[in-house]
Amino acid sequence: MSLSQPNTFSPGNVGKSAQNWHPQPSRSLRPAAQPLYRQNVFLNLPIAGRLTLGFVIAALIAALASGVVGIQRAQSLSRQTDFYHSLLQYNTSLTTGRGFLELMDSKLHQTLEDASAPNPSHETLTADIAALNNLATLYTQTLNNYAQNDLLDQHTDQLALLNEGGDGNLAPQQRTLTSSTQRTWQFYQSAQQEILNALSGATISSDALKSAQLVLQQQGEPTNADALSALHSLIQLNDRLASAVDNATNVEIHNQLLTTLLATACAFLAIALVGWFISETLVRRLRHLHRVTRAVEEGRINERVLVSGRDEIAEVSSAVNAMVDTIVGLLEETRQQRDALAGAAEHLFSDMRIVNAGDLRVSAPVGNDPIGVLANAFNFTVGRFRRFILRTQTTVEQLDVISHQGLERSQSFISLVRSQL
């Protein structure tokens, strides 16, 4: 018998629904290639060690800048102190020399007074002449030591300090005044020696005494005044040198201020560069990690984090890549299960269409998936329905036999009635 009934549901609709179900995104679920580790020694340090290293480098840069400024200031102060100490020695030496000149003038006058006495003492004159010669020797040594050791040309540090203050012209003036002092001393020493030669005899004549007095008046006193004047000018030059050192000090203070500002700016730039380099190794990779996670969140599961170094960020990046690979694997497995379910559902719907056509001999394959459960229920229902149909057919056949028997009996009864009539 045919069991065709109106098709109240469409198995194809269920198949289409299963086929239209896709995990998001619908693009390829094949994972991208794992990026290789970049060889970077600095990125292999832990983040704490990297930050510590950055702070240490910044501290070293600041200490270096401060040390450069401090060393420059210490050198400047040392040069100024040495220059002032030298000026003090120069001034003491020249002041002592001026005392020698004044003593020589007084001793020379005293020697002439001793020689002008009615009965001059030879011992006294000899002592006076020896004292004068001793003073001349000391003054000569003073001038020679000054000319050989105390000129600015012989001290490059002092000359450089004066040049910084714009007073480098004092060095030629010092040489000129030193030459003038030595020249006037030679003139005075010649006049003094002439006087002493006139008084050095065993007996001093009146003509020799008058000649000595005349030389003292005409040559000795003027040359002594010239020598004192030249020496005084040299002493005044030392005072000007002290003022020049002050000017150079002010210039150096200004230069040191500029150096301090420059060193501060360089230290700031260097520290900023170190901070930028360290932050770049952290922030750039964190931004890349955030960008990849946002891309995965939006469905672009082909994105992967570039793993560089072996620090904490590299570990997190590797973990994120592993997590994304796991998600891709799960999506691939889900897609395969979806395809399998869609195929099983299509096969079940084909069996339903055959049953709908009246063939109850169909048996759907049973599995452990939800479609398998539905197939089991379908097979159970079809079996129940098949048994019901069989029982119905048996009952109909029995009724058919009974009806045939009743019909035969009715025909026999009718034949008998007809025969009796």
Side-chain angles (χ1 to χ4, degrees):
M1 70 178 279
S2 175
L3 299 179
S4 298
Q5 296 179 357
N7 191 4
T8 58
F9 71 95
S10 176
N13 293 334
V14 180
K16 291 180 181 179
S17 299
Q19 292 175 356
N20 292 332
W21 181 83
H22 295 284
Q24 296 297 326
S26 60
R27 64 183 66 184
S28 175
L29 302 179
R30 186 173 299 172
Q34 179 71 19
L36 298 177
Y37 283 91
R38 291 181 178 178
Q39 297 296 330
N40 192 326
V41 178
F42 190 74
L43 294 181
N44 294 337
L45 294 175
I47 294 178
R50 198 179 311 165
L51 294 176
T52 303
L53 181 61
F55 285 124
V56 170
I57 293 176
L60 289 177
I61 293 173
L64 181 61
S66 301
V68 170
V69 174
I71 290 173
Q72 184 180 7
R73 179 59 179 167
Q75 291 177 349
S76 176
L77 291 176
S78 177
R79 287 193 302 170
Q80 295 170 16
T81 302
D82 293 340
F83 204 158
Y84 280 121
H85 183 69
S86 299
L87 287 179
L88 180 60
Q89 291 180 348
Y90 302 161
N91 192 58
T92 302
S93 177
L94 294 177
T95 303
T96 303
R98 183 174 60 184
F100 290 156
L101 280 177
E102 293 174 352
L103 285 175
M104 278 188 285
D105 184 62
S106 300
K107 196 65 177 176
L108 187 59
H109 283 81
Q110 184 180 357
T111 302
L112 286 177
E113 289 178 1
D114 292 338
S116 300
N119 294 314
S121 174
H122 182 72
E123 292 78 7
T124 302
L125 291 176
T126 302
D128 291 340
I129 292 172
L132 285 172
N133 290 330
N134 186 30
L135 290 173
T137 301
L138 292 175
Y139 186 67
T140 302
Q141 291 177 354
T142 299
L143 292 182
N144 290 335
N145 288 332
Y146 185 84
Q148 294 175 2
N149 302 319
D150 298 339
L151 293 180
L152 294 175
D153 293 338
Q154 301 168 357
H155 302 277
T156 56
D157 293 340
Q158 297 177 3
L159 188 60
L161 187 62
L162 292 178
N163 290 329
E164 289 181 3
D167 295 319
N169 58 343
L170 293 179
Q173 295 180 17
Q174 186 188 37
R175 288 195 304 271
T176 303
L177 291 176
T178 302
S179 300
S180 176
T181 303
Q182 290 177 332
R183 186 172 58 255
T184 55
W185 162 242
Q186 290 175 358
F187 292 153
Y188 177 62
Q189 188 178 20
S190 298
Q192 183 183 10
Q193 193 63 37
E194 185 177 354
I195 295 171
L196 293 179
N197 289 335
L199 299 177
S200 61
T203 59
I204 301 174
S205 62
S206 59
D207 294 336
L209 183 59
K210 289 180 181 180
S211 176
Q213 291 176 350
L214 182 61
V215 171
L216 178 62
Q217 292 176 359
Q218 294 180 355
Q219 297 181 12
E221 292 179 355
T223 54
N224 181 267
D226 292 341
L228 284 173
S229 177
L231 186 61
H232 182 67
S233 299
L234 195 57
I235 293 174
Q236 287 181 342
L237 179 66
N238 284 339
D239 296 336
R240 292 174 59 188
L241 287 176
S243 300
V245 173
D246 292 336
N247 295 333
T249 301
N250 294 330
V251 172
E252 284 199 347
I253 290 175
H254 182 265
N255 293 334
Q256 287 170 4
L257 179 61
L258 294 179
T259 303
T260 302
L261 295 177
L262 181 61
T264 302
C266 293
F268 176 77
L269 292 177
I271 293 173
L273 181 61
V274 172
W276 173 82
F277 178 73
I278 294 178
S279 64
E280 185 68 13
T281 60
L282 298 176
V283 176
R284 179 173 55 85
R285 295 192 295 159
L286 289 176
R287 288 177 178 174
H288 177 65
L289 179 61
H290 178 262
R291 185 167 57 252
V292 171
T293 54
R294 287 294 299 273
V296 173
E297 181 182 359
E298 293 173 0
R300 299 193 301 272
I301 58 177
N302 289 329
E303 298 289 337
R304 291 295 183 276
V305 183
L306 180 62
V307 180
S308 57
R310 290 194 297 269
D311 56 357
E312 291 83 352
I313 297 179
E315 294 177 358
V316 174
S317 300
S318 300
V320 170
N321 289 339
M323 179 184 67
V324 174
D325 291 338
T326 302
I327 293 175
V328 170
L330 292 176
L331 290 177
E332 182 68 20
E333 184 179 354
T334 302
R335 186 184 66 82
Q336 294 176 358
Q337 291 179 357
R338 179 205 64 189
D339 294 340
L341 289 176
E346 183 65 26
H347 189 271
L348 179 61
F349 293 149
S350 298
D351 294 339
M352 288 182 178
R353 284 193 292 269
I354 294 174
V355 171
N356 191 34
D359 189 358
L360 299 180
R361 296 171 298 176
V362 176
S363 178
V366 179
N368 295 325
D369 53 3
I371 300 300
V373 175
L374 292 177
N376 190 18
F378 172 74
N379 291 334
F380 178 75
T381 302
V382 170
R384 293 281 300 271
F385 190 61
R386 186 186 303 114
R387 290 193 295 272
F388 174 74
I389 293 298
L390 291 176
R391 288 197 298 268
T392 302
Q393 288 178 349
T394 302
T395 303
V396 169
E397 290 176 356
Q398 292 177 354
L399 291 176
D400 191 21
V401 171
I402 294 173
S403 63
H404 279 294
Q405 291 176 355
L407 181 60
E408 290 176 354
R409 290 175 182 176
S410 298
Q411 289 177 355
S412 298
F413 178 73
I414 292 174
S415 298
L416 181 60
V417 169
R418 285 178 180 177
S419 64
Q420 291 291 331
L421 292 176

